[in-house]
Amino acid sequence: MTQQDPSQETVDRWAFAETVESDVRRPGVRLGPALGAAAAAAVVVVAAAVIPQIKKDPLGTARGPATTAGQAPAGQASMAPQQTPQSGGGDLTYANHAIAGPGGACCSTSGGAWSPAASGGYPEYTGPVRTTTDRNAWYEWNLGRPAGGARWDQIKVRLWIPQAQAGAWVRVTVTSTAGSASNVATFDVAEQEYQGWYELPATFTIGTPDRRTGSAWVKMTYLRPYTDQAAAQTCADDSCDRMAAAQAEFLWS
């Protein structure tokens, strides 16, 4: 069953020297004595200018003179640094957030057999938690319809992972929509290895830098027990086979 959203929601000189030299020596190319001498002298001058600048690295690979970041090689004009245009909607601050899950009026739902726990969740492990060993169980959080903010092109999602109550490997599936576009991303997480807020390693798009046009749903399902027995001692009942669901946090700018 899925709960409906509430209404508040980056002059190679050698090439040049080789070109001049080959023109001087190439059969069929006739140069007058003065012109030929001038061309030969040009080759000598160019070579004399280039050779001191060519260095060998420890492997014997030829490379040009070193330059520092932002400095153009000798003989080339410096280019002004490129600037990324500021997109609409302002900077990414992630100052706005909404929390959903057990203990809140919005916005989560579940399926399968879950057992409630009064503590272990947000904040400071004092919030309510749901745990299960049911392989078919699932828990889903959604953003709802919060007001305010912008930069809906990049939002973040975090999940609160309890301490002893969480042990299993779980699969987290994020479905995000922006207008008529939809995207699904999955993340496999070993709950036993984390505690407190765990931020999913991605950002999600539910609109433009200026306007929200979609939403996000986060669904957790059971993957497998965590089988490292040395670590399993930190799990409830010395067995990391429990999936725990607590709070989810959505952040935007």
Side-chain angles (χ1 to χ4, degrees):
M1 60 181 177
T2 303
Q3 178 176 325
Q4 296 292 328
D5 291 344
S7 56
Q8 277 108 354
E9 311 210 20
T10 161
V11 174
D12 188 319
R13 295 187 179 91
W14 279 118
F16 173 73
E18 290 169 357
T19 300
V20 174
E21 187 177 19
S22 63
D23 283 345
V24 172
R25 300 177 179 176
R26 188 187 312 155
V29 176
R30 295 181 177 272
L31 298 174
L35 210 56
V43 172
V44 173
V45 171
V46 171
V50 173
I51 290 174
Q53 297 184 51
I54 299 298
K55 300 179 181 179
K56 298 278 186 176
D57 64 18
L59 298 179
T61 305
R63 53 187 173 88
T67 59
T68 57
Q71 176 184 356
Q76 295 185 17
S78 298
M79 297 181 63
Q82 293 185 356
Q83 296 183 354
T84 303
Q86 182 78 18
S87 59
D91 295 332
L92 289 167
T93 63
Y94 300 105
N96 296 283
H97 71 121
I99 296 177
C106 183
C107 301
S108 64
T109 186
S110 62
W114 292 87
S115 298
S119 63
Y122 173 85
E124 300 299 330
Y125 305 98
T126 61
V129 171
R130 302 290 183 265
T131 64
T132 185
T133 56
D134 181 357
R135 305 302 197 263
N136 296 313
W138 53 270
Y139 202 97
E140 185 175 88
W141 304 261
N142 69 80
L143 179 56
R145 296 186 180 276
R151 292 311 304 264
W152 298 104
D153 57 326
Q154 295 185 53
I155 70 165
K156 293 182 178 181
V157 174
R158 304 198 301 177
L159 295 178
W160 183 274
I161 300 180
Q163 292 175 306
Q165 296 99 321
W169 277 90
V170 299
R171 176 158 292 170
V172 180
T173 302
V174 180
T175 302
S176 55
T177 61
S180 61
S182 179
N183 183 69
V184 177
T186 61
F187 309 86
D188 292 346
V189 181
E191 285 192 300
Q192 194 279 334
E193 298 178 0
Y194 303 96
Q195 61 184 36
W197 285 123
Y198 172 78
E199 184 175 301
L200 296 178
T203 57
F204 308 95
T205 299
I206 63 170
T208 70
D210 303 297
R211 186 168 61 95
R212 176 178 172 180
T213 61
S215 195
W217 295 262
V218 183
K219 187 174 184 178
M220 177 188 289
T221 54
Y222 199 102
L223 201 56
R224 61 183 181 273
Y226 191 90
T227 55
D228 184 340
Q229 293 305 309
Q233 296 176 7
T234 63
C235 295
D237 304 325
D238 291 339
S239 177
C240 294
D241 62 347
R242 295 175 186 268
M243 173 171 67
Q247 290 71 34
E249 183 178 27
F250 301 85
L251 302 98
W252 67 98
S253 300

